Every structure is written in C-alpha cells, then in structure tokens.
C-alpha cells in the first residue's frame, strides 16, 4: 500500500462559518497528518448544480471516469519513471505540474475556468474530462507501441549476440562474397557440432531428389534422380564453442528438400538474406536501431511529461467536481461545505485519523449506515461510508 495517498474530505458548513469548520478539521486531525497541517481544497461556488436526480445519475459515472483518468495518469507517470536515466528514490514524489510539486498543486488547487468553463453542466464537464483523457490515452498507446517495437528489436539483437549459432544473427559472421544468389543457385548455411563436421562433409554432396535411387539411373536420356548440391561447395565459415558454421551452394528450386534431408542428419540450416548493393552489417543495423530508439525514447519522455500534466490537472479538477456533487448529495442544498486535503503521517496513523474525524463529525452519519445494503447518495455502493465525503489521490508513481 502506498504511503503517498492524499485524502480529500468534505464536511457540511450549514452555519455558514466555513473558517470555523475548517479549524475544527485542523484541530482534530493535526496529530495524525503531515506537518500537523490541513489545507483547504477550494471548490468554486460557481459550479452548476442542476437537479438532484441528475446529480445522482452522475455520481456513479464520475466514479468510473475517476478510475479511468487515474489509470491513465499512473501509466504515464510510471513510464516517466522508467525512462529516467537516474531513477528517483522509491516512494518519492518526483513529478511536478508546471514546476509545482504534486502535493502543493493539490493543496493550492484553483479551478481553471479557461480550461473547464464553469458554465458547463456536471454532465458536460464529465464528458470533457473523459474525451480529453481518452484522446491522450489513445495517443499514448500508439507512441508506446512505436517505441516498444524498436526497443524490442534492439533487445532481440543484443540477446542474439549471446546466443549460439543456431539462433544468433549471422550477418556479422558470414562473408558477403560467400553468398551466391542467382536465378538457379542459392547458398545456405549449416550449423553442426564439430564432431559432426566430417560426417556432414561425407554426405552433403549425395543429397538427391530420391535418396533411395542412384543418380545414374535414367529414363529417356534424362536423369530421373537429381543430385542438387554443387560438389565441393562446402566451406567452413566460423566456429564458436562446440559448434561450427558451414555454407553450401545448391540448386535454388531444391532448397526445401535440402532442409528436409539436412534435418535427418541433425544439423540446423540457416538462411542469410543480404542485399549486396545496400549491404549493412548486423552491427551497423544495430547502431542505427539504437540511435532510433534513443530518439524515440527522448520524444516519448517529453511527450509523457507534457501529457502527464494535462491528465493530472484534469484528474484534480474531476476530484473537485466529485466533491461538489457528492457533498450536495450527502449534505443537501444549498451547497455549503468545506473541503480539505489531509496527508496521514504514515499508513499506521490512518485508523487513528479516521477515528478522530468520525468522533468530531459523527452527527453527519451513523455507524449503522456502514452495513447498509442499499445505495447511499453521494458515494459508490462498493465504498465504505464515513460521516464525511472521502476521496483519495495516490501520488506514488515510482514503478515497483
């Protein structure tokens, strides 16, 4: 469980004295919260209310969109962590919003009416959050796919260098001049154990279209059996450990038949396709792929930083809208309530903080309501009921 979870709570202020209510929150929680200080979470009074029915219908929808936006923020935030050369300390807050730390952004939050107009209804604002973040999510998926493809290619090449001759890239091992590729002829490479080399040398030339019959037998003056391997074409190319790499030249149309016969002798046939006019060694292609990967990584990092800000800002505004909606559903109209940001000192203090808040605000709820099976307006049916509106923001983006 993350130790970087920030609480946003809301309690009614029917007396109209919001400062007195906030002081009450501050006094009862001071012993159990970071620096002993709570912060006001400012919910603009200009947010539209609509009807209670419309707010009730939006409550569950807001929870779903909240989870979706949080999930996108987490993916992008953790990707920034993964792309950093020097990894931040585990459990630290390393991301910022326009130079402001995430906790300070939440504590100093102010609604941005230029970005999210207060003239919009709750439904319209929710749709805007969803559309904005869904667009970023889709763009993120495409950029990650693009980056992952080149990163996978680089990783595969690096792994192949540590692999044996049966699977590794051979373009840096073979000599281009050893490869014959014409209309009728082709060159294949064979990997075998060193102990097999002499046995292979003794049999490869005899491969034919019918191993049971002699090539000298003929019908109508034409051979009925064709030996398709060029005699004397066998050449040792390289050796590594207990394996050696050989090449042979054969008639191209019998390539698949050669592979079948070779498998009976327990050797591995490899094909190496090289464009001699535009030849690049495996290492040259590897260096190009690494350069491309670095460029894509840098662009992805910059994109993630810019769009994490967009998503986190949208998420915080969405939390603010949820506080507005759920406070009205819980405490009624007119919307007179006080919202605050609290950070438990540590996870072990959460229970004590809960108890302190419940004791001080028990008049706004009943312990019996925790066991109610029916939906209670203002919070999802799967969430525990408290005598205050409770939302949470986990700011831990260090990838485990």
């Amino acid at each position: 469980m993350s130790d970087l979870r920030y609480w946003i709570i809301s309690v009614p202020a029917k007396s109209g004295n919001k400062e007195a209510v906030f002081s009450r929150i501050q006094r009862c929680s001071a012993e159990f919260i970071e620096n002993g200080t709570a912060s006001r979470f400012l919910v603009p009074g200009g947010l539209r209310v609509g009807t209670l029915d419309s707010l009730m219908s939006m409550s569950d929808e807001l929870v779903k969109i909240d989870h979706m936006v949080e999930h996108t923020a987490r993916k992008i935030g953790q990707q920034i962590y993964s792309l950093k050369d020097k990894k931040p300390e585990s459990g630290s807050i390393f991301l910022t919003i326009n130079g402001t730390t995430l906790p300070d952004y939440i504590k100093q939050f102010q609604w941005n009416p230029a970005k999210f107009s207060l003239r919009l209804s709750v439904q319209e604002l929710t749709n805007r959050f969803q559309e904005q973040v869904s667009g970023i999510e889709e763009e993120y998926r495409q950029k990650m796919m693009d980056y992952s493809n080149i990163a996978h290619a680089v990783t595969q090449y690096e792994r192949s260098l540590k692999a044996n001759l049966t699977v590794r890239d051979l373009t840096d091992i073979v000599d281009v001049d050893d490869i014959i590729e014409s209309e009728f002829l082709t060159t294949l490479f064979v990997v075998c154990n060193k102990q097999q080399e002499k046995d292979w040398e003794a049999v490869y030339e005899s491969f034919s279209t019918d191993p049971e019959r002699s090539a000298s037998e003929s019908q109508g003056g034409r051979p009925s059996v064709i030996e398709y391997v060029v005699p004397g074409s066998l050449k040792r190319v390289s050796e590594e450990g207990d394996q050696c790499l050989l090449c042979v030249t054969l008639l191209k149309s019998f390539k698949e038949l050669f592979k079948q016969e070779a498998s009976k002798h327990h050797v591995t046939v490899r094909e190496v396709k090289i464009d001699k006019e535009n030849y690049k060694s495996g290492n040259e292609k590897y260096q190009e792929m690494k350069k491309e990967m670095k460029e894509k990584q840098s662009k992805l990092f910059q994109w993630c930083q810019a769009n994490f800000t967009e998503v986190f800002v949208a998420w915080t505004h969405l939390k603010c809208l949820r506080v507005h909606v759920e406070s009205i559903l819980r405490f009624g109209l007119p919307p007179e309530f006080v919202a605050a940001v609290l950070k438990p000192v540590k996870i072990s203090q959460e229970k004590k903080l809960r108890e302190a808040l419940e004791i001080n605000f028990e008049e706004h709820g009943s312990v019996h309501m925790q066991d109610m099976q029916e939906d209670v307006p203002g919070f999802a049916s799967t969430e525990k009921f408290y005598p205050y509106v409770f939302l949470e923001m986990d700011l831990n983006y260090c990838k485990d």
Side-chain angles (χ1 to χ4, degrees):
M1 185 182 290
S2 170
D3 198 21
L4 294 175
R5 291 175 299 134
Y6 283 71
W7 296 7
I8 302 174
I9 71 166
S10 169
V11 295
K14 294 301 181 183
S15 64
N17 190 342
K18 294 187 176 182
E19 287 302 322
V21 174
F22 177 70
S23 295
R24 189 177 170 190
I25 295 173
Q26 175 75 17
R27 284 195 306 272
C28 75
S29 64
E31 185 181 348
F32 312 109
I33 60 176
E34 197 171 68
N35 301 321
T37 306
S39 301
R40 286 286 295 273
F41 186 72
L42 298 178
V43 179
L47 282 170
R48 290 174 60 180
V49 174
T51 65
L52 289 177
D53 284 345
S54 67
L55 294 182
M56 288 183 69
S57 68
M58 285 304 301
S59 182
D60 285 345
E61 183 67 18
L62 281 165
V63 173
K64 293 175 186 175
I65 304 303
D66 190 340
H67 291 164
M68 182 272 285
V69 176
E70 179 181 16
H71 181 64
T72 300
R74 190 150 311 285
K75 283 197 294 188
I76 297 176
Q78 289 183 341
Q79 189 60 52
I80 294 172
Y81 175 85
S82 296
L83 292 172
K84 278 182 171 289
D85 292 329
K86 185 178 180 182
K87 295 291 183 286
E89 184 180 347
S90 180
S92 63
I93 293 178
F94 60 93
L95 293 165
T96 61
I97 303 299
N98 301 321
T100 303
T101 66
L102 302 187
D104 283 347
Y105 177 78
I106 298 170
K107 294 172 184 176
Q108 301 165 10
F109 173 75
Q110 290 188 327
W111 188 278
N112 184 348
K115 198 173 186 69
F116 304 106
S117 173
L118 294 173
R119 292 194 297 270
L120 298 176
S121 68
V122 172
Q123 175 76 63
E124 290 168 330
L125 284 170
T126 304
N127 291 342
R128 177 152 309 181
F129 296 137
Q130 183 177 20
E131 289 168 6
Q132 179 188 0
V133 176
S134 293
I136 292 173
E137 168 78 22
E138 180 58 32
E139 191 175 352
Y140 172 76
R141 191 180 296 113
Q142 292 296 326
K143 289 186 178 294
M144 277 303 302
M145 187 182 300
D146 194 27
Y147 171 71
S148 296
N149 287 341
I150 186 66
H152 178 71
V154 169
T155 301
Q156 285 293 94
Y157 182 84
E158 291 172 343
R159 284 179 181 169
S160 76
L161 295 178
K162 300 174 185 177
N164 60 38
L165 292 170
T166 59
V167 293
R168 67 175 294 181
D169 181 31
L170 299 179
T171 54
D172 282 333
I173 299 176
V174 304
D175 187 336
V176 180
D177 294 331
D178 288 336
I179 300 175
I180 297 174
E181 199 65 39
S182 68
E183 185 179 355
F184 299 108
L185 296 176
T186 188
T187 298
L188 294 178
F189 293 84
V190 175
V191 180
C192 65
N193 289 328
K194 289 178 180 177
Q195 295 93 332
Q196 295 176 282
E197 187 174 5
K198 287 197 176 296
D199 293 338
W200 174 258
E201 189 175 358
V203 300
Y204 84 97
E205 289 184 358
S206 65
F207 284 8
S208 68
T209 53
D210 188 348
E212 303 300 323
R213 299 176 63 186
S214 168
S216 61
E217 299 177 29
S218 63
Q219 295 178 356
R222 299 181 63 183
S224 58
V225 179
I226 301 173
E227 291 179 346
Y228 47 78
V229 179
V230 176
S233 63
L234 183 69
K235 179 181 178 180
R236 179 187 255 235
V237 177
S238 179
E239 64 176 75
E240 191 173 282
D242 62 352
Q243 293 181 323
C244 60
L245 181 67
L246 314 170
C247 70
V248 296
T249 302
L250 60 142
L251 295 172
K252 183 180 285 187
S253 57
F254 299 101
K255 181 169 65 173
E256 294 306 316
L257 187 56
F258 176 85
K259 291 179 181 179
Q260 293 173 20
E261 287 298 308
S263 67
K264 296 177 183 178
H265 294 272
H266 308 291
V267 299
T268 302
V269 179
R270 302 282 311 273
E271 289 189 64
V272 178
K273 296 181 179 180
I274 291 178
D275 180 358
K276 292 187 177 182
E277 294 182 2
N278 303 295
Y279 172 70
K280 290 181 182 177
S281 69
N283 185 58
E284 286 176 314
K285 288 187 280 187
Y286 171 62
Q287 294 303 327
E288 287 180 358
M289 286 191 299
K290 279 187 68 177
K291 181 180 178 182
E292 183 182 354
M293 185 184 76
K294 283 289 185 185
E295 290 172 352
K296 288 183 182 296
Q297 180 176 320
S298 176
K299 289 179 180 178
L300 177 62
F301 184 73
Q302 293 171 13
W303 183 92
C304 284
Q305 285 188 308
N307 283 274
F308 175 82
T309 294
E310 292 296 315
V311 176
F312 193 86
V313 166
W315 189 32
T316 312
H317 280 74
L318 178 58
K319 289 291 187 185
C320 183
L321 185 61
R322 282 194 67 192
V323 170
H324 170 72
V325 170
E326 297 186 16
S327 295
I328 292 173
L329 291 175
R330 287 282 297 279
F331 310 131
L333 291 170
E336 294 291 343
F337 56 87
V338 173
V341 178
L342 310 175
K343 166 63 175 70
V345 176
K346 48 189 176 181
I347 294 175
S348 60
Q349 295 293 307
E350 289 186 3
K351 185 177 180 181
K352 292 180 179 178
L353 177 56
R354 292 254 184 240
E355 291 172 350
L357 290 170
E358 289 180 11
I359 290 171
N360 277 270
F361 299 104
E362 61 184 351
E363 71 269 23
H364 306 305
S366 167
V367 292
H368 301 295
M369 293 186 74
Q370 295 182 19
D371 299 321
M372 288 181 65
Q373 299 300 313
E374 60 191 274
D375 290 343
V376 177
F379 70 96
S381 58
T382 56
E383 296 176 355
K384 189 175 179 181
F385 182 84
Y386 303 106
Y388 47 87
V389 169
F390 171 74
L391 303 177
E392 192 173 59
M393 298 182 77
D394 187 350
L395 306 187
N396 183 12
Y397 292 96
C398 294
K399 199 169 184 180
D400 296 332

